[in-house]
Amino acid sequence: LDYYEKYGHTLVPITSNDDPTLGRWVQRQRAHYKNGSMSEHRRMLLLDVAFVFDVREYNRSNKANADTTTDGDSDKNVQNEKKKWRKLSWEERYVQLKNYVDTYGDSNVPLKYDSLGGWVQYQRRSKSRLSNVQRDKLEQLNFCWDVKDHQWKVKYEELRKFIQQHNHSHVPRTGDSKSLHAWCGTQRQLYRRKYNRNHEQTDTKRVMSATLTDEREALLTKINFEFEKYHDYWWRQRIQQLKENKRQRGHL
């Protein structure tokens, strides 16, 4: 996000002077996207910063503009776009946001959506500096102050409906369920890390910046979320079946 705000794009060179590891990380994200191993949650986060998943396709689609625009003009356009949202008053931007909410049903404007996305991002980061009137007006639009929390709640609601329909929380890794499956896996990883239940080192690296709060754990417990892995869960179910069989027949 810092790189995007500084340069106006996500085409980070492999040997970036800002952060030598950032370019390699960006390359890995493109590889994960290409081979289908990227979760929907991470894809959406990258889309919010106008992430370029296919550099060749991006270059082809911009070739016409490149033929008619000099490098100096291109840099100038980037800088103008970054400053564009500052040229309108807060009230004018608010009206634009209201129109967006009326059209799309929420206030989660992606950064790539004109210059309104940058303004919305700035409101979130400047919440403490906004006036009470400004905060109240934004909240009248059900303004999302915390995007990650909003995304967690959306996935939680998907899971609640899945459990209600299937009577278990082990979402299959197929079709439209891939994203929810990955999200559930992350919650289990966070749970194991929270209680130090021999979580794998790779799990820790992947979710080291996130935590499972007591509030979220309680919400998951409320809908009977199984914190065990799929094979652990079914292994325990088989043990219960064996115990019941022994109780009824006197042997296994």
Side-chain angles (χ1 to χ4, degrees):
L1 182 58
D2 291 338
Y3 185 95
Y4 176 82
E5 290 181 340
K6 183 176 181 180
Y7 295 102
H9 61 76
T10 58
L11 299 173
V12 186
I14 294 180
T15 56
S16 170
N17 292 328
D18 296 79
D19 182 349
T21 64
L22 181 60
R24 292 191 293 273
W25 182 87
V26 166
Q27 293 295 323
R28 287 198 299 274
Q29 306 318 303
R30 292 192 177 113
H32 289 321
Y33 175 78
K34 187 175 181 179
N35 64 29
S37 61
M38 175 174 287
S39 71
E40 182 66 11
H41 173 70
R42 290 187 177 184
R43 188 181 75 86
M44 293 303 294
L45 288 176
L46 289 170
L47 281 176
D48 277 345
V49 292
F51 188 82
V52 177
F53 289 101
D54 189 327
V55 177
R56 289 184 180 179
E57 179 61 30
Y58 175 85
N59 289 335
R60 280 197 296 268
S61 65
N62 287 279
K63 187 175 186 302
N65 291 334
D67 291 338
T68 58
T69 306
T70 66
D71 290 340
D73 289 338
S74 178
D75 291 340
K76 185 177 180 180
N77 289 338
V78 168
Q79 295 301 323
N80 287 341
E81 183 63 24
K82 288 168 61 179
K83 298 176 181 178
K84 188 177 178 181
W85 62 265
R86 296 187 178 92
K87 294 181 180 179
L88 298 179
S89 70
W90 194 94
E91 289 295 335
E92 289 173 317
R93 280 301 185 189
Y94 178 80
V95 171
Q96 289 185 341
L97 177 60
K98 186 178 185 303
N99 291 336
Y100 181 94
V101 172
D102 291 341
T103 302
Y104 296 101
D106 63 58
S107 61
N108 298 319
V109 185
L111 278 173
K112 66 176 183 177
Y113 186 89
D114 195 21
S115 55
L116 181 61
W119 182 83
V120 167
Q121 187 85 320
Y122 184 77
Q123 304 314 299
R124 292 189 181 115
R125 296 194 308 200
S126 307
K127 183 179 180 180
S128 62
R129 295 194 293 272
L130 296 175
S131 69
N132 291 335
V133 173
Q134 288 174 331
R135 284 197 298 270
D136 289 344
K137 293 189 73 169
L138 288 172
E139 287 172 1
Q140 287 172 15
L141 301 179
N142 292 319
F143 188 78
C144 178
W145 296 104
D146 189 330
V147 177
K148 290 183 178 180
D149 184 62
H150 171 76
Q151 291 170 336
W152 193 93
K153 290 176 179 176
V154 169
K155 285 300 180 186
Y156 175 83
E157 183 60 21
E158 287 183 31
L159 176 62
R160 187 191 66 77
K161 291 178 180 178
F162 178 91
I163 294 175
Q164 190 176 51
Q165 181 179 355
H166 300 281
N167 203 33
H168 68 79
S169 63
H170 290 283
V171 181
R173 190 179 181 178
T174 56
D176 296 336
S177 300
K178 286 184 178 180
S179 176
L180 184 58
H181 169 88
W183 183 84
C184 288
T186 298
Q187 307 316 301
R188 292 185 176 104
Q189 291 170 17
L190 293 174
Y191 180 82
R192 290 197 300 276
R193 190 181 71 169
K194 183 176 182 178
Y195 295 102
N196 195 26
R197 296 189 177 183
N198 298 319
H199 58 274
E200 295 89 340
Q201 183 66 22
T202 53
D203 289 345
T204 304
K205 289 180 179 179
R206 289 168 58 187
V207 296
M208 61 184 178
S209 62
T211 58
L212 181 65
T213 64
D214 291 342
E215 178 186 4
R216 289 183 175 180
E217 182 183 347
L219 286 171
L220 290 168
T221 301
K222 183 179 179 180
I223 59 175
N224 296 318
F225 178 73
E226 290 107 354
F227 287 98
E228 295 174 299
K229 287 184 176 180
Y230 181 78
H231 63 270
D232 292 335
Y233 168 77
W234 284 112
W235 194 88
R236 183 168 56 82
Q237 291 294 98
R238 291 302 186 190
I239 291 296
Q240 291 299 115
Q241 291 176 357
L242 288 175
K243 288 181 178 180
E244 180 63 19
N245 186 72
K246 183 178 181 180
R247 187 186 68 79
Q248 291 181 0
R249 302 186 182 185
H251 62 81
L252 298 177

